Amino acid sequence: MKQDRMSPFLKDGKSMLLAYDQGLEHGPSTDFDDRNVDPSFVMDIASKGGFNGIVFQKGVAERFYDGKVPLIIKLNGKSSLPKGEPVSRQECSVEHAVSLGAKGVGYTIYLGSQHEAVMFSEFGQIQEEAHRRGLPAIAWIYPRGEAVKSDTTKEIVSYAARAGLELGADAVKIKYTGDAESFSWAVKAAAGAKVFMSGGPKAPTDEDFLSQVRGVMGARATGVAVGRNVWQNPDPMAMAGKLKAIIFGA
Ligand code: FBP
């Protein structure tokens, strides 16, 4: 049987990934404090917390990646400053990601944006090159822009999952719909592309967040790719342990 390109990031077919590209997406004063502004703090959480992968932009990887956890390089990104229809363009090549030690590449697509065609096209090129090199192409698929009324309904989240499948993503990172039953439709729509829940802003309580993760796993998703709910937590290791227990039943 052909090996699953996502296998470097899987344990028993499940996975938990730590995302840390928010410095570019949101800016340091929105998301960071004195601890987590330092990328080594987050690198440490990834390895000591048992994460199956870490997501960095290339500049952070060049200075802080320590090789202890499989690396995913985000190949596009944008700041929170421009207004209007969102677009995120490629700023790192697959070749450079590989030279940094990446075992996977990530790319954000704003489904529904007036600029979605640009992102479809860039992701298409990236997916083909990543596959030539044996790497998975992971699509962050966020419905966004004037045409999108809500980004968490069953209809729009399953559309995101299906778009990822159709565009050739090995895995999709999508928002939670709010319950396991509707999320399981998105998992079905992904038809074999691995499904990861994207975390979002830190939930009011740990339990609020963990109940979402239980719903995600109950829907037979692969796992989570989260950031703020872990490295903004006062005790990131305890949160990592609780996630592991839900995702792997460990
Ligand atoms: P979080 O778990 O912190 O939400 O991280 C997931 C993520 O996809 C990041 O990779 C990315 O920086 C961020 O969310 C994008 O956030 P936004 O929804 O504001 O575009």
Side-chain angles (χ1 to χ4, degrees):
M1 207 176 96
K2 231 175 141 214
Q3 219 205 352
D4 189 331
R5 287 185 203 93
M6 282 298 289
S7 61
F9 303 102
L10 302 175
K11 190 181 136 211
D12 302 329
K14 306 279 184 243
S15 183
M16 64 185 209
L17 306 175
L18 193 60
Y20 187 68
D21 59 336
Q22 292 82 352
L24 175 61
E25 297 291 327
H26 305 148
S29 307
T30 305
D31 283 342
F32 298 159
D33 60 19
D34 282 342
R35 299 175 316 162
N36 56 39
V37 72
D38 177 0
S40 0
F41 176 78
V42 175
M43 188 67 255
D44 239 43
I45 296 171
S47 53
K48 297 189 181 130
F51 282 85
N52 306 104
I54 177 87
V55 181
F56 284 151
Q57 283 282 352
K58 69 174 178 181
V60 170
E62 283 165 0
R63 290 171 191 269
F64 295 95
Y65 180 56
D66 68 8
K68 290 184 182 154
V69 172
L71 176 66
I72 296 165
I73 291 284
K74 259 314 284 305
L75 298 183
N76 67 338
K78 68 165 193 49
S79 81
S80 60
L81 301 175
K83 300 298 165 218
E85 290 292 295
V87 61
S88 184
R89 298 293 303 256
Q90 183 174 5
E91 27 72 7
C92 179
S93 65
V94 176
E95 184 183 9
H96 189 60
V98 169
S99 79
L100 292 172
K103 298 284 181 282
V105 291
Y107 185 94
T108 299
I109 295 170
Y110 295 115
L111 186 71
S113 164
Q114 279 173 23
H115 306 298
E116 69 172 19
V118 171
M119 293 168 277
F120 284 3
S121 166
E122 278 189 357
F123 181 73
Q125 301 290 323
I126 284 166
Q127 185 261 15
E128 290 169 22
E129 188 178 349
H131 286 189
R132 276 195 295 275
R133 294 169 179 268
L135 266 68
I138 303 164
W140 278 225
I141 309 200
Y142 296 155
R144 212 161 278 183
E146 271 296 302
V148 178
K149 298 297 163 237
S150 160
D151 63 355
T152 54
T153 62
K154 175 179 177 179
E155 290 72 22
I156 198 75
V157 174
S158 58
Y159 201 165
R162 187 65 180 209
L165 170 82
E166 306 267 350
L167 295 169
D170 297 273
V172 294
K173 182 168 177 326
I174 55 177
K175 303 274 179 203
Y176 189 47
T177 52
D179 65 90
E181 192 273 324
S182 57
F183 200 70
S184 69
W185 176 239
V187 174
K188 281 190 189 124
K194 305 277 184 291
V195 174
F196 290 80
M197 179 189 80
S198 178
K202 188 170 171 306
T205 69
D206 287 3
E207 187 44 38
D208 290 332
F209 177 60
L210 294 168
S211 72
Q212 293 179 26
V213 178
R214 277 185 217 105
V216 165
M217 299 318 289
R220 306 177 72 83
T222 297
V224 299
V226 297
R228 288 167 283 181
N229 277 283
V230 174
W231 44 254
Q232 283 181 354
N233 194 289
D235 190 347
M237 290 303 160
M239 176 50 87
K242 289 174 190 168
L243 285 176
K244 263 193 280 184
I246 297 171
I247 295 170
F248 303 106

